[in-house]
Amino acid sequence: MEAGHEVVGVDNFSKYGPVRRTFDDHPRYRLVEGDAKDAELLTELTAGCDHLVAGAAMIGGISYFHEFAYDLLAENERICAATFDAAISAHRLGRLQRITVISSSMVFESSDVFPTPEGAQLSSPPPRSTYGFQKLATEFFARGALEQYSLPHTIVRPFNCVGVGERRALRDHQVMSGNVKLAMSHVVPDLCQKVLKGQDPLHILGDGSQVRHYTYGGDLAHGIRLAMESEQAINDDFNLSTARSTTVRELAEVIWRKVHGPERRLNLESDPPYEHDVQMRVPDVRKAREVLGFEATTTLEAMLDEVIPWVKEEIEAGRI
């Protein structure tokens, strides 16, 4: 946080329970325990803000999409409406300059154009999952608020965020993947925990040919900030992602080598895939590079050097 910037966060701890963050005691950060669906609370907090980042949502991995198919749509729509109501009110008061909407690569769930450019969400069939459909709706909230209330916005779409801190959610059910409980999260921490627990053969969803762009959370945070601060980003949208394509099978191989070394052979076993497990998720990253000067430079190997030790600590502490 630079001098003069004050940040207010809102969280009701509904996913993980109370969690300590490194910035909790920062003198220019204030955490408000509250519900992001509370339009009155958000309106009160946003009235004194220059910028609002709309990032609150129920979110998880592919199994989470199925477990909470209705809640993802209903709860996230309520959060979105309350957030935009607050933003419109603050903009009317003359203080709020812009809302930055954290959307998702899932708006491109049904796209068949690769690499997928910004704008494809308008020409592709609608997303098949309720989560993807709702994230697309957040973008239309932004478009509608601009058209009716002249509220400026910036939309950013992170692709496959990788980092530490994700734990089993309070509402997660136990799902088995081979002899290991599936952490209802994203594929990177889930494969890490299965390899570290000694699973062999290693279970993956489908045949492992699914293509993803695993992007470091720190790089995404930098890209979001660039988008927030850029005047060229006003009323525009950006894919934020690494340019590197990786299959799930390739990801499994890298994790396996880092844990077991090059000598031990990797054996894979395919579990039945979920309905909404998108096969190709490949973004066009040129616009973010040309307009924002953003490039995700952290390699997958460097990400795993951070994530694997963290997952090991979480396993030893009994939290995963």
Side-chain angles (χ1 to χ4, degrees):
M1 302 177 194
E2 292 184 352
H5 291 182
E6 296 183 359
V7 177
V8 178
V10 178
D11 194 350
N12 66 353
F13 308 120
S14 60
K15 186 167 185 181
Y16 300 120
V19 177
R20 287 286 301 171
R21 303 295 186 191
T22 57
F23 47 79
D24 283 346
D25 298 322
H26 195 286
R28 291 194 297 277
Y29 174 72
R30 178 165 66 100
L31 176 63
V32 175
E33 184 174 354
D35 194 332
K37 300 190 296 291
D38 186 342
E40 184 176 346
L41 171 64
L42 297 189
T43 299
E44 176 186 338
L45 295 174
T46 307
C49 291
D50 299 305
H51 205 112
L52 174 60
V53 179
M58 288 184 66
I59 185 173
I62 185 67
S63 54
Y64 197 90
F65 294 167
H66 290 264
E67 187 70 24
F68 303 114
Y70 174 78
D71 291 350
L72 282 169
L73 185 62
E75 290 291 280
N76 289 351
E77 285 293 274
R78 295 182 185 110
I79 291 170
C80 193
T83 304
F84 271 90
D85 285 350
I88 290 167
S89 174
H91 185 61
R92 279 175 165 170
L93 294 174
R95 178 69 184 266
L96 189 74
Q97 299 171 14
R98 194 192 321 178
I99 183 171
T100 293
V101 179
I102 311 298
S103 184
S104 168
S105 61
M106 286 294 287
V107 302
F108 300 128
E109 186 178 4
S110 299
S111 178
D112 58 2
V113 177
F114 305 105
T116 311
E118 292 85 348
Q121 75 281 3
L122 302 177
S123 57
S124 302
R128 296 185 301 274
S129 68
T130 55
Y131 178 75
F133 188 88
Q134 195 281 321
K135 296 309 286 188
L136 182 59
T138 66
E139 300 191 10
F140 275 83
F141 267 82
R143 290 160 61 94
L146 174 64
E147 182 176 343
Q148 185 173 352
Y149 295 105
S150 301
L151 174 67
H153 68 259
T154 298
I155 296 168
V156 292
R157 302 187 192 95
F159 278 69
N160 294 98
C161 179
V162 176
V164 302
E166 185 175 23
R167 296 185 172 95
R168 192 182 299 275
L170 296 176
R171 295 179 63 185
D172 281 354
H173 294 171
Q174 290 186 1
V175 178
M176 298 305 294
S177 178
N179 63 333
V180 175
K181 294 174 184 175
L182 178 69
M184 290 182 70
S185 59
H186 297 88
V187 64
V188 172
D190 194 67
L191 287 180
C192 287
Q193 64 111 8
K194 286 191 284 193
V195 173
L196 286 164
K197 288 178 178 179
Q199 188 179 72
D200 188 2
L202 178 63
H203 286 245
I204 58 174
L205 291 175
D207 64 5
S209 63
Q210 307 96 312
V211 175
R212 299 289 184 267
H213 280 226
Y214 301 107
T215 310
Y216 184 55
D219 288 340
L220 290 173
H222 179 61
I224 291 168
R225 178 171 179 176
L226 289 174
M228 288 172 60
E229 296 178 346
S230 172
E231 292 297 311
Q232 292 179 282
I234 294 176
N235 302 329
D236 210 343
D237 59 326
F238 299 91
N239 298 335
L240 299 183
S241 174
T242 177
R244 175 180 174 181
S245 292
T246 305
T247 66
V248 171
R249 184 179 290 268
E250 289 169 340
L251 171 66
E253 290 173 349
V254 176
I255 295 172
W256 186 268
R257 287 198 306 271
K258 283 188 173 292
V259 174
H260 294 305
E263 301 303 323
R264 184 170 169 182
R265 178 180 175 180
L266 168 62
N267 301 297
L268 294 175
E269 184 165 326
S270 296
D271 292 339
Y274 286 98
E275 178 186 354
H276 300 302
D277 193 6
V278 179
Q279 294 303 299
M280 290 282 290
R281 190 176 296 156
V282 180
D284 190 326
V285 299
R286 290 176 297 176
K287 184 176 177 181
R289 182 176 64 245
E290 293 169 0
V291 177
L292 304 177
F294 169 73
E295 289 189 80
T297 57
T298 306
T299 65
L300 176 61
E301 289 75 12
M303 295 179 228
L304 292 173
D305 286 340
E306 181 177 312
V307 172
I308 290 172
W310 180 83
V311 172
K312 185 177 180 180
E313 290 177 5
E314 292 295 295
I315 291 171
E316 292 171 349
R319 289 187 289 264
I320 294 181

